[in-house]
Amino acid sequence: MRFSCATLFIIKLKLGSVLIKKFTVYLIRHGETYLNKYDRMQGWADAPLTPQGIEDAHMAAKKVQDVHFDQAFSSDLTRAVHTAHIILDDTKNDALKVTQLPNIREAFFGYFEGANGPETWDTICRPLGYNGIDDFLKDHTFYETRDAMHAADPFHDAEDAQAFKKRILAGVDQLAEKANDGETLLVVSHMDAIRSLIQLLNPQIDVHLPIKNGSLNILNFTDNQAEVVAYDK
């Protein structure tokens, strides 16, 4: 799906300069992990890919099989790095190294890392009047979700909205700095990181439901503008 220019979100790079280059990002979620399979909270916790997760990565590669990538990036978490390597191998882009960017990690869930997912979101959302995370996200942004989790964490270690947003946008800045004009980048990241970025770039896109493991999202960057060309494909 292509979205109109009226919905573009203007990214102001921290460098304070105008971005005078164009590049395209193929932003892909990692394959299924064992914590995904067991419906456990997985932010900075780092379970390996399941056999289905490896298949997710191969299927993601089929979606971009005709794409020549100039650079490849992933978060520094194993599940993202492994997915990126499978995609590069399958698409004959295996000569590229995968540059790991910690800034595009998943959100940190603090006390709730590894906990049962539905029970965790019930603990966080029910006192606020919602039946779970999907219900909460109908009325709130992902950044408000980060603050709700941070408040519910008895140690307050879970990443709050300000810290998470600052980090994700720093990751976008890194991509913009490293990209050369006209390049196509492979970037493998995580569900909430991707949905939070998409929500910033185009608030009209409904991101409250989970995106698939191995899902494809395409972003075009041009002169400080970022256009969402495809979401959760």
Side-chain angles (χ1 to χ4, degrees):
M1 178 179 291
R2 190 174 185 85
F3 301 93
S4 68
C5 293
T7 64
L8 296 183
F9 176 84
I10 307 302
I11 292 181
K12 302 298 184 183
L13 297 181
K14 290 183 296 184
L15 299 177
S17 59
V18 176
L19 180 66
I20 55 174
K21 56 191 174 185
K22 302 177 182 179
F23 62 96
T24 298
V25 171
Y26 283 75
L27 179 59
I28 295 176
R29 186 189 176 197
H30 62 81
E32 181 195 67
T33 70
Y34 282 96
L35 288 179
N36 292 149
K37 180 178 179 179
Y38 305 147
D39 206 356
R40 296 278 171 172
M41 300 296 293
Q42 182 177 222
W44 290 5
D46 199 17
L49 299 183
T50 63
Q52 177 58 52
I54 293 172
E55 180 61 22
D56 291 337
H58 288 302
M59 292 301 294
K62 290 182 179 179
K63 300 173 188 176
V64 295
Q65 60 185 348
D66 296 324
V67 178
H68 168 75
F69 293 112
D70 298 291
Q71 297 190 63
F73 302 87
S74 75
S75 83
D76 60 335
L77 298 176
T78 303
R79 59 192 188 268
V81 178
H82 191 182
T83 299
H85 280 296
I86 291 172
I87 293 171
L88 291 177
D89 287 345
D90 284 3
T91 58
K92 298 181 171 57
N93 287 286
D94 51 305
L96 293 178
K97 71 172 186 177
V98 177
T99 300
Q100 298 178 28
L101 301 178
N103 279 330
I104 62 172
R105 276 184 174 200
E106 184 58 288
F108 179 47
F109 299 147
Y111 172 80
F112 300 108
E113 289 282 346
N116 178 280
E119 291 177 2
T120 294
W121 289 119
D122 185 73
T123 297
I124 295 169
C125 297
R126 192 166 294 279
L128 302 175
Y130 294 92
N131 292 325
I133 184 59
D134 293 343
D135 191 29
F136 181 85
L137 284 171
K138 291 178 181 178
D139 296 331
H140 298 276
T141 68
F142 273 98
Y143 298 99
E144 291 170 318
T145 303
R146 299 276 66 79
D147 282 339
M149 177 177 283
H150 178 78
D153 182 341
F155 295 93
H156 300 299
D157 285 335
E159 212 166 11
D160 66 16
Q162 182 178 4
F164 182 57
K165 183 176 181 179
K166 181 179 179 180
R167 175 169 64 78
I168 292 299
L169 290 182
V172 174
D173 284 344
Q174 287 180 296
L175 293 173
E177 291 164 8
K178 292 177 181 295
N180 297 306
D181 188 35
E183 286 193 335
T184 299
L185 313 182
L186 170 67
V187 180
V188 180
S189 187
H190 306 266
M191 179 166 66
D192 283 3
I194 291 171
R195 290 195 291 174
S196 299
L197 178 58
I198 295 295
Q199 190 170 64
L200 275 178
L201 300 182
N202 189 332
Q204 294 184 8
I205 301 175
D206 183 1
V207 298
H208 84 278
L209 294 176
I211 62 174
K212 302 178 290 293
N213 289 103
S215 69
L216 171 64
N217 310 272
I218 304 175
L219 311 177
N220 283 339
F221 288 81
T222 307
D223 299 334
N224 272 15
Q225 292 183 335
E227 180 183 8
V228 180
V229 178
Y231 173 65
D232 194 23
K233 300 301 182 184

